[in-house]
């Protein structure tokens, strides 16, 4: 995976580790630093330290390809939402790699195809906590309060 410098247009880093296509990227906080999360065909989420130009850690989902990544702010914690070929959409702690839970593991979601998440993003409503929106094969975006889902 090649990372380019946005201002100069020059190659910044060549990051190797994924086997196959990379389909999704997102920024995620790991304590005091910002990492680039990547996922794709090999089913592994890799966290990259772009300043050091190396992999910080790898998270194995085990449920097939990874199609969607996004940061989820839950209180003071910054978590990582990982969507792929279900069941559910995983929530991980990027600092430790711990699997904290899942969004959408209900039978209705699996039968409708939403368990196969293809997109995820965090939104910040004017009032209330940050929310995560996922979209899957059922063509119906779902809105999640990650804090409530994990409790």
């Amino acid at each position: 995976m090649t990372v380019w410098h946005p201002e100069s247009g020059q190659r910044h880093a060549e990051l190797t580790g994924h086997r196959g296509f990379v389909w999704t990227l997102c920024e995620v906080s790991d304590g005091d630093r910002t990492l680039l999360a990547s996922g794709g065909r090999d089913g592994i989420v890799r966290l990259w330290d772009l300043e050091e130009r190396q992999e910080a850690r790898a998270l194995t989902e085990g449920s097939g390809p990874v199609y969607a990544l996004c940061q989820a702010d839950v209180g003071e914690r910054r978590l990582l939402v990982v969507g792929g070929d279900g069941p559910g959409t995983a929530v991980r702690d990027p600092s430790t790699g711990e699997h904290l839970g899942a969004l959408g593991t209900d039978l209705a979601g699996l039968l409708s195809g939403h368990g196969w998440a293809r997109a995820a993003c965090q939104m910040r409503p004017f009032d209330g906590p940050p929310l995560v929106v996922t979209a899957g094969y059922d063509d119906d975006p779902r809105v999640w309060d990650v804090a409530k889902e994990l409790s």
Side-chain angles (χ1 to χ4, degrees):
M1 178 171 72
T2 304
V3 179
W4 300 89
H5 191 279
E7 293 169 359
S8 70
Q10 299 296 313
R11 183 181 307 213
H12 174 74
E14 191 69 35
L15 306 173
T16 58
H18 283 289
R19 294 178 314 279
F21 299 111
V22 173
W23 288 322
T24 183
L25 302 166
C26 82
E27 176 183 271
V28 65
S29 176
D30 176 23
D32 60 345
R33 62 186 174 165
T34 299
L35 302 174
L36 176 67
S38 63
R41 185 176 182 170
D42 62 5
I44 298 171
V45 175
R46 297 188 185 278
L47 302 177
W48 304 95
D49 183 325
L50 294 181
E51 287 183 28
E52 298 293 325
R53 300 176 187 201
Q54 66 184 8
E55 183 179 298
R57 82 183 39 81
L59 313 175
T60 304
E61 277 309 302
S63 60
V66 175
Y67 295 101
L69 294 169
C70 82
Q71 181 168 284
D73 296 331
V74 177
E76 297 298 314
R77 296 177 78 182
R78 300 258 165 94
L79 305 177
L80 182 62
V81 173
V82 181
D85 283 345
T89 300
V91 180
R92 306 286 298 258
D93 183 327
S95 298
T96 64
E98 179 184 3
H99 184 275
L100 301 173
L103 311 175
T105 57
D106 63 311
L107 183 58
L110 293 176
L111 292 176
S112 69
H114 195 80
W116 297 300
R118 293 299 181 259
C121 74
Q122 180 172 244
M123 58 178 273
R124 296 180 179 278
F126 291 114
D127 57 346
L131 303 170
V132 168
V133 180
T134 60
Y137 281 147
D138 62 355
D139 294 329
D140 288 325
R142 307 265 171 103
V143 179
W144 308 95
D145 181 333
V146 177
K148 286 183 181 176
E149 294 295 321
L150 295 179
S151 61

